[in-house]
Amino acid sequence: MLPRAAGALLAVLLLGGCGASAAREDGAADAGRRFAAALSAGDYRTGCALLAPDTREQVEEDGRTPCRTGLREAGLATAVPVRAVAVYGQEAQLRMTGDTVFLSRFDGGWLVTAAGCEARGADEPYRCAVQGG
């Protein structure tokens, strides 16, 4: 009896997790698309609003540069369609043609923590043009 109940519980948890995961993936992908669209349109104000607080602070160079200027000067590539989304709890990686973006889930939604990221190797961290501290 116990194994059958444990199996049923596991099935419920897996099915419930899948639905939540799809919603998180959609939310992360939407935030990444909005960020890329803002940059493509030259709307750096919206781009800055989609940055996580630590990332925005780094882009502003600790208050010496307005975020809009820092984000424009970062020279991020224009990212186009989303190729893959991976969500790990409150963190996400969004692979787009032309860019890899990392996001975190905050109370108000998904925000970009790093952008303009390139893989350096299997065991190496990504190198990102924009990232938090």
Side-chain angles (χ1 to χ4, degrees):
M1 181 74 169
L2 185 57
R4 196 176 306 179
L9 177 60
L10 181 59
V12 168
L13 290 174
L14 288 175
L15 289 173
C18 289
S21 179
R24 286 193 308 256
E25 286 178 3
D26 290 346
D30 181 54
R33 281 188 203 100
R34 286 184 291 134
F35 181 74
L39 298 185
S40 292
D43 183 1
Y44 298 105
R45 174 173 280 161
T46 297
C48 288
L50 292 167
L51 293 175
D54 287 348
T55 305
R56 184 180 176 131
E57 187 175 304
Q58 283 297 120
V59 168
E60 292 173 343
E61 298 179 34
D62 299 320
R64 290 177 285 183
T65 304
C67 180
R68 294 185 308 267
T69 302
L71 196 54
R72 184 182 69 242
E73 290 175 354
L76 298 174
T78 300
V80 285
V82 174
R83 295 184 302 138
V85 180
V87 176
Y88 309 96
Q90 300 299 312
E91 307 295 321
Q93 179 189 48
L94 183 62
R95 291 187 189 159
M96 302 164 72
T97 302
D99 197 1
T100 297
V101 176
F102 292 90
L103 304 103
S104 290
R105 176 95 172 112
F106 290 82
D107 290 340
W110 289 97
L111 296 175
V112 174
T113 56
C117 301
E118 297 178 4
R120 296 193 296 177
D123 294 331
E124 297 290 321
Y126 277 75
R127 180 184 350 223
C128 301
V130 170
Q131 64 185 10

